[in-house]
Amino acid sequence: MSTAEHEKGAVRETPDRYGAFPRLTPEQLEDLSAHGERRRTAEGEVLYREGEPFREFLVILSGTVEILSDQGGPDERTVAVHGPGRFLGELGLLEGQAAFNTAVVREAGEILAVPVERQRALVGSDPVLGDLILRAYLGRRYLLIGLGAGFRILGSCYSRDTLRLREFAARNRLPHRWVDLERDKEAEALLRRFAIRPEETPVVLWQGERLLRNPSNAELARLIGLPAPAPSAENERCEVMVIGAGPAGLAAAVYGASDGLTTVTVDAVATGGQAATSSRIENYLGFPSGISGGELIERAVLQAHKFGARLMVPAEVSALTPQDDEYIVTFTDGSRARAGAVVLASGVRYRRLEVPGIDLLEGISVYYAATVHEAGLCRADPVAVVGGGNSAGQAALFLAQHASEVHLLVRGSDLNADMSRYLVDQVEQHPKIEVLLHTEVRCVAGKEKLESLTVEDNASHERRELQAAALFVFIGARPRTEWLKGVLALDERGFVLTGADAGAVADTNRWASLGRDPMLLETTLPGVFAAGDVRSGSVKRVASATGEGAMAIRLVHEHRERKGNLATVGPEGRRPEAGGPVSSR
């Protein structure tokens, strides 16, 4: 939209085609009025600015407001224009992040301003209004990501630190744009403008003035307002520390906090785990039309905040030490926290594909996740997906929306062996997906990015070359438990032993003093539980992970009741009767 159009007042409201810009009903406006104040606006007034925290939830009563990305910068663009009945803001308002755009009044009028904390409470207490706002904010966040709004990451496609920052931004669903030092024409101009030497890259740029040279993930988190304070001091104590913020960890956070336990959840990279990278989960109970992993996780994060759980990202744990019937949790930055009970929900990481030539292409055109970020780099080229499980099937269907062709490479002879039937049907019927059974990758080729790969039929041993601009790998996973070796018992693959399996190898003297064996999800350490994919023998499904996260909190209550080492009150704040049930809601 041009400046001349602004001056003439020719500002048209953006139509609501995707549910991102709904209009509140008169009844909803009346309900909100009881929690805020009316305020007159002036033409040109800035209601909130990119990079600054949200302080108010704003509803337009009259006049119009334009939402701008990179206001005043060389890439300024209009994101949307809103009129009476619409509300402003996006997902960052609910999650405590900085604004990723700027709101400017174009036609003077009146707004309703509700303090952010009060609005967050309303979202949790009014399911209809809360769902309307959450869906709109999710839609706006994905719109901003698609526009490349937010901060810029300037770095080489060959830099591991560039890959680290891009992965952190993508996994946390943060609006940003990558400026490739090797290929983008604007890179040289930005280097000159900010006097950046190539060896100082990658750098993060925001609002044309904020510049971070090769920041850590924590520094980037602080820039955009992610809840990443330093972990609690050692003399500060929480009742439950949840390590990992995937579905299991978030479920534990929700149930722990809702039961009145002081609950802290930490994750080294992002909330959501592998589930957040799923384009659509169609077999999760209660969502018959499916739900994206990102939306499911955002809902869980807001729910955890609603009940008072603390979420810290990034915060990586390096050690767990028993001390006086409690545990000292040590973080990689050297800080420590005390916890009465611990829930291990650190999940798994995808296994790497070990073939010649792949090392130089990882993160450039070989990926272990298929999000909007990676899909946007395909640019209508053919791609290949390796794997025969649900993750591979979901990735193939998602990538088929962007790529010209998807080669699904499956080592086995039957797609039904490891993939759910509903996914098999969709994959086999999709015109853009070619399924190649009993097929394995033998090598990849490409100088600066992937150009082709050699595959072999493991039955006939016949080899062929496939053209592909990107390779997505989903060949199983390994647990994130290296830091637990020697602390508690793991199985031969590194997964955490629990229940009867833990009891079989546990220190009998330690457990004899308690007068009990490890409970169902309890490890060889009393009061330390494992939930989700990190647990030995777990079912690798989102639904089972959330169930185990909730169950872990129920067992935390039993541990507290039986041992009495933390407190002698139940989740309702009363002393539980001996042998009586403790509600986990």
Side-chain angles (χ1 to χ4, degrees):
M1 188 173 295
S2 69
T3 303
E5 287 177 312
H6 288 163
E7 292 173 351
K8 294 176 183 178
V11 182
R12 295 182 179 179
E13 187 177 56
T14 305
D16 183 22
R17 295 193 179 95
Y18 308 107
F21 309 129
R23 207 178 305 278
L24 298 177
T25 66
E27 293 77 17
Q28 288 170 329
L29 288 171
E30 184 177 351
D31 291 342
L32 282 170
S33 296
H35 301 279
E37 64 174 5
R38 291 172 175 262
R39 187 184 305 156
R40 299 296 302 178
T41 61
E43 184 178 341
E45 179 182 353
V46 176
L47 300 178
Y48 59 79
R49 195 178 299 278
E50 183 177 347
E52 297 178 356
F54 288 100
R55 292 180 173 82
E56 297 172 315
F57 173 78
L58 302 175
V59 181
I60 303 170
L61 300 177
S62 62
T64 58
V65 176
E66 183 179 17
I67 307 301
L68 295 169
S69 171
D70 194 34
Q71 187 213 15
D75 297 322
E76 178 180 319
R77 74 182 93 178
T78 298
V79 177
V81 176
H82 299 303
R86 289 191 178 179
F87 53 87
L88 307 181
E90 60 97 41
L91 200 59
L93 183 146
L94 297 179
E95 297 191 354
Q97 299 172 9
F100 283 99
N101 46 41
T102 300
V104 181
V105 176
R106 290 306 176 201
E107 294 179 8
E110 188 178 25
I111 58 173
L112 174 65
V114 180
V116 164
E117 291 304 323
R118 194 172 300 172
Q119 174 59 19
R120 289 173 183 160
L122 286 172
V123 167
S125 61
D126 186 333
V128 176
L129 179 63
D131 192 65
L132 178 74
I133 292 173
L134 178 56
R135 283 190 175 278
Y137 279 2
L138 286 168
R140 294 178 192 185
R141 172 56 61 93
Y142 293 134
L143 174 64
L144 290 175
I145 291 173
L147 289 174
F151 56 88
R152 283 178 285 187
I153 298 173
L154 172 60
S156 169
C157 60
Y158 305 112
S159 165
R160 295 294 180 187
D161 282 318
T162 299
L163 172 61
R164 170 181 56 81
L165 292 171
R166 289 173 58 205
E167 179 185 16
F168 180 78
R171 291 283 302 277
N172 283 283
R173 303 167 294 284
L174 302 175
H176 71 285
R177 180 157 57 91
W178 171 42
V179 181
D180 188 350
L181 198 62
E182 312 295 335
R183 301 184 180 93
D184 287 356
K185 295 180 180 179
E186 71 170 301
E188 185 62 34
L190 287 171
L191 290 174
R192 289 197 301 270
R193 178 183 172 189
F194 292 97
I196 303 168
R197 298 190 304 274
E199 59 270 22
E200 293 179 303
T201 60
V203 297
V204 172
L205 305 169
W206 201 11
Q207 299 175 282
E209 55 184 36
R210 299 190 189 182
L211 187 149
L212 297 178
R213 286 176 166 82
N214 195 13
S216 66
N217 289 354
E219 289 172 325
L220 177 54
R222 285 193 291 271
L223 175 70
I224 51 86
L226 273 178
S232 303
E234 189 168 350
N235 59 1
E236 186 179 342
R237 171 182 169 280
C238 65
E239 290 170 308
V240 182
M241 173 75 75
V242 182
I243 301 173
L250 289 173
V254 167
Y255 279 85
S258 67
D259 279 356
L261 301 173
T262 54
T263 305
V264 177
T265 300
V266 301
D267 197 284
V269 180
T271 56
Q274 293 183 35
T277 68
S278 176
S279 58
R280 182 147 298 269
I281 302 170
E282 295 192 63
N283 58 353
Y284 192 72
L285 186 66
F287 295 92
S289 60
I291 184 172
S292 72
E295 181 175 353
L296 181 66
I297 295 307
E298 295 293 2
R299 287 175 175 272
V301 168
L302 295 175
Q303 201 171 12
H305 284 310
K306 167 187 171 181
F307 289 116
R310 288 180 60 200
L311 271 64
M312 300 195 301
V313 178
E316 185 174 359
V317 177
S318 59
L320 179 67
T321 309
Q323 186 177 91
D324 300 329
D325 289 333
E326 295 186 334
Y327 292 93
I328 300 297
V329 179
T330 304
F331 297 84
T332 53
D333 66 356
S335 59
R336 295 181 174 187
R338 289 192 304 136
V342 176
V343 177
L344 302 172
S346 51
V348 295
R349 58 169 60 92
Y350 284 115
R351 294 188 183 279
R352 296 179 66 251
L353 183 65
E354 303 288 349
V355 296
I358 202 169
D359 289 350
L360 297 177
L361 300 177
E362 286 184 328
I364 301 168
S365 49
V366 175
Y367 308 104
Y368 295 86
T371 67
V372 174
H373 171 69
E374 289 86 12
L377 301 175
C378 294
R379 299 177 183 176
D381 293 320
V383 302
V385 176
V386 180
N390 281 1
S391 295
Q394 290 168 342
L397 289 167
F398 173 63
L399 293 167
Q401 302 172 30
H402 303 268
S404 60
E405 184 178 11
V406 178
H407 305 288
L408 180 58
L409 313 179
V410 183
R411 182 173 59 179
S413 58
D414 183 5
L415 200 57
N416 290 280
D418 298 302
M419 190 180 296
S420 297
R421 184 68 231 180
Y422 79 94
L423 276 175
V424 173
D425 292 340
Q426 293 181 53
V427 166
E428 291 181 336
Q429 293 169 16
H430 202 291
K432 285 189 176 182
I433 299 177
E434 178 192 23
V435 179
L436 299 175
L437 299 175
H438 36 81
T439 299
E440 299 181 48
V441 178
R442 292 308 181 205
C443 67
V444 298
K447 295 182 179 179
E448 296 185 346
K449 65 175 185 178
L450 181 67
E451 296 173 4
S452 65
L453 54 153
T454 301
V455 300
E456 179 179 317
D457 185 312
N458 56 31
S460 66
H461 302 294
E462 180 182 351
R463 292 195 175 193
R464 59 181 288 199
E465 185 176 283
L466 294 177
Q467 300 301 310
L471 178 64
F472 297 83
V473 182
F474 302 93
I475 55 172
R478 57 188 177 88
R480 300 173 182 268
T481 56
E482 296 86 353
W483 61 282
L484 288 170
K485 291 179 179 178
V487 177
L488 46 73
L490 309 174
D491 69 13
E492 66 278 3
R493 295 183 299 161
F495 291 90
V496 179
L497 293 174
T498 58
D501 292 334
V505 296
D507 183 342
T508 54
N509 293 328
R510 170 178 280 162
W511 288 93
S513 65
L514 298 177
R516 65 178 180 87
D517 295 325
M519 291 181 281
L520 185 62
L521 300 180
E522 200 166 17
T523 69
T524 51
L525 290 178
V528 177
F529 303 85
D533 291 356
V534 75
R535 189 178 68 83
S536 179
S538 68
V539 178
K540 304 301 188 280
R541 291 289 187 271
V542 174
S544 61
T546 55
E548 289 187 8
M551 189 189 304
I553 296 302
R554 173 67 177 83
L555 298 177
V556 166
H557 288 305
E558 290 194 23
H559 169 68
R560 288 160 58 91
E561 178 186 353
R562 293 186 186 187
K563 182 65 177 70
N565 65 324
L566 305 181
T568 56
V569 294
E572 306 298 336
R574 65 179 184 274
R575 185 183 301 273
E577 297 178 4
V582 179
S583 170
S584 62
R585 300 184 187 178

